[in-house]
Amino acid sequence: MSIDVRDPSADFLAFWREQHVCTLTTLRPDGTPHVVPVGVTYDPEAGLARIITNKHSTKVANVLAAGPEGARVAVCQVKRGHWATLEGRATVRTEPELVADAVSRYAERYGRTPAPNPDRVVIEIALDRALGRV
């Protein structure tokens, strides 16, 4: 079922506020999928999803390899028969204020603040599609 990324139903938004491990799918330079577990925050007002990670990770390398326009990616979460996917174009953000904001959002969703990491960056996904059954 298609969902408006900027105006999701209350149930869809609530599902994205629950504590779930998600997956991020990026494409390697050879076109094969790279799927890894991540924490994701969803900001429908801005039309963004955010993932905090280390700048040396494969997922960051895959996004950067796609070029300045960013990479098509998907994040997904599942709980029994309920699932939700967000899709869009990912870019890597390094600005300290954006990293701090993403860490704060992560702490709110997942109930813990990650340890400081000078190599932390944000994979920011400009969302253009949402699907799910919640």
Side-chain angles (χ1 to χ4, degrees):
M1 170 159 108
S2 184
I3 295 148
D4 183 342
V5 296
R6 290 187 173 261
D7 188 25
S9 70
D11 289 341
F12 189 82
L13 187 55
F15 189 56
W16 275 102
R17 295 216 162 113
E18 294 173 5
Q19 238 183 62
H20 297 292
V21 173
C22 304
T23 60
L24 168 68
T25 302
T26 60
L27 296 179
R28 296 180 183 98
D30 69 2
T32 60
H34 176 257
V35 183
V36 292
V38 293
V40 176
T41 61
Y42 172 35
D43 179 358
E45 293 82 20
L48 298 173
R50 297 175 181 92
I51 298 161
I52 56 174
T53 189
N54 189 296
K55 68 181 179 183
H56 302 293
S57 69
T58 300
K59 55 188 160 287
V60 167
N62 290 342
V63 171
L64 293 174
E69 299 298 314
R72 290 290 307 171
V73 302
V75 290
C76 183
Q77 64 183 22
V78 177
K79 179 183 177 185
R80 298 187 183 131
H82 303 281
W83 62 275
T85 299
L86 300 170
E87 298 178 19
R89 188 154 304 275
T91 54
V92 177
R93 305 300 300 261
T94 60
E95 299 93 323
E97 66 277 6
L98 295 180
V99 173
D101 178 61
V103 167
S104 175
R105 291 169 186 276
Y106 177 97
E108 183 178 331
R109 181 176 186 196
Y110 291 99
R112 70 172 194 84
T113 301
N117 177 353
D119 290 333
R120 182 170 288 132
V121 297
V122 178
I123 295 176
E124 186 177 86
I125 306 166
L127 302 171
D128 57 24
R129 183 179 296 167
L131 312 153
R133 189 173 76 192
V134 297

